[in-house]
Amino acid sequence: MGAVHRSCTGYASEPFATLVAQYPGEDVYPSGDFRTEWGPIFHRGRLDGSARVVVLGQDPAAHESVTRRILVGVAGQRVQGLLARVGVTTSYAMVNTYVYSVFGQSAGNRHAKDAAIAAYRHRWLDALLVGTDVTAVVALGDLADRAYRVWAKTRPDTSERLHLAAVRHPTYADAIARATGRPLAETTAEQLANWNAALPGIAEHVVADEPTTLVPYGDAWAPGDLAPIPEQDLPAGTPAWWRDVEPWAARTGDTAQTKRATLTVTVPEGARTWPAL
């Protein structure tokens, strides 16, 4: 017998089976602001009641459009490393503020208060947080923080028992450096200081999967700060390089519309096993 592989079992159980059957379309997510043509992407992690931490992200990107699970690219691997720092390796569930990828710089903020978008998101948060054993929520970036706080007002009894860690988005440093011209080293140090400030609170409010000593980040990304995505988080039969730290998917094209319509997937060099010609 060869290796035994673990995989995500999908959405067979309730309430998740109904949630994915009733996902919103372009009447809720206008195609001018969201890449609805790539379909909704719902979650990553445990839906079996074993989650102790819920991570709320922003929206799916290129890698997620291929894998059909959220937070699997560089951002996801940084989050995986953040959770591992407090000993959480499996007992998490992740959802996004938006189930469709945002198109355009301002679209995310423009729809931050949309009632119909929030209503569907609240159903997911209810399923993951109300009457469950989750003890902490990690909100990645301002959009996720706002989305969680809107939900919290609808469920005050539940939200009062949850620890909220609202941290910089995993790609904050890269985005701010591009937008402002500030040195990437400076914005990275700023992001990691923000994450360091949140780590003790997260560690205090979660039960670790593995015993660990809390070690803060340095002022730059170091080996081991990014962790590969676990095989059990992805659909059955997915190739190992989908979980690789090396990026392998990108939107490509000469215009915004061409990039919107085109995903280029390249098997990482380290994963290529075919013989050279």
Side-chain angles (χ1 to χ4, degrees):
M1 179 183 293
V4 176
H5 296 279
R6 304 184 66 187
S7 60
C8 178
T9 56
Y11 309 102
S13 62
E14 294 293 354
F16 305 104
T18 296
L19 279 171
V20 299
Q22 297 177 347
Y23 68 81
E26 292 186 6
D27 56 326
V28 174
Y29 280 87
S31 60
D33 289 333
F34 296 94
R35 296 181 177 91
T36 52
E37 65 274 14
W38 290 98
I41 305 167
F42 301 107
H43 99 296
R44 177 163 72 82
R46 314 286 80 75
L47 300 180
D48 60 0
S50 64
R52 299 296 179 266
V53 181
V54 163
V55 176
L56 181 57
Q58 181 172 298
D59 69 304
H63 291 81
E64 289 75 13
S65 294
V66 178
T67 63
R68 313 313 298 174
R69 296 294 184 268
I70 72 168
L71 287 165
V72 296
V74 170
Q77 291 153 9
R78 289 175 178 175
V79 173
Q80 203 71 34
L82 174 69
L83 295 176
R85 245 179 170 81
V86 296
V88 175
T89 56
T90 60
S91 58
Y92 54 79
M94 304 181 185
V95 290
N96 272 335
T97 302
Y98 300 122
V99 294
Y100 293 94
S101 176
V102 172
F103 180 69
Q105 294 294 320
S106 60
N109 286 319
R110 188 158 53 246
H111 293 278
K113 296 182 179 180
D114 279 12
I117 290 177
Y120 183 71
R121 179 172 61 239
H122 288 179
R123 291 172 64 188
W124 272 90
L125 292 175
D126 284 350
L128 292 170
L129 299 174
V130 177
T132 71
D133 292 328
V134 171
T135 55
V137 175
V138 179
L140 307 176
D142 292 339
L143 277 174
D145 184 24
R146 280 183 277 167
Y148 174 79
R149 292 179 189 276
V150 170
W151 170 85
K153 291 179 181 178
T154 72
R155 298 289 189 176
D157 292 344
T158 298
S159 60
E160 284 176 4
R161 70 170 179 79
L162 295 171
H163 173 73
L164 172 64
V167 300
R168 300 286 193 192
H169 189 273
T171 59
Y172 165 88
D174 312 75
I176 293 299
R178 287 194 302 268
T180 66
R182 291 172 57 193
L184 179 59
E186 180 181 303
T187 59
T188 299
E190 181 180 304
Q191 175 177 339
L192 294 176
N194 172 266
W195 282 20
N196 279 336
L199 281 171
I202 301 172
E204 179 183 351
H205 289 88
V206 301
V207 176
D209 299 316
E210 300 176 358
T212 186
T213 300
L214 184 60
V215 177
Y217 289 94
D219 57 8
W221 295 110
D225 288 347
L226 278 69
I229 308 304
E231 182 181 38
Q232 71 185 97
D233 285 12
L234 297 176
T238 56
W241 52 267
W242 276 16
R243 302 181 286 111
D244 203 275
V245 171
E246 183 181 345
W248 48 264
R251 302 192 190 279
T252 55
D254 296 331
T255 67
Q257 292 300 333
T258 302
K259 289 181 71 173
R260 174 175 180 150
T262 309
L263 272 177
T264 298
V265 174
T266 306
V267 177
E269 187 172 350
R272 300 173 190 176
T273 59
W274 59 85
L277 296 177

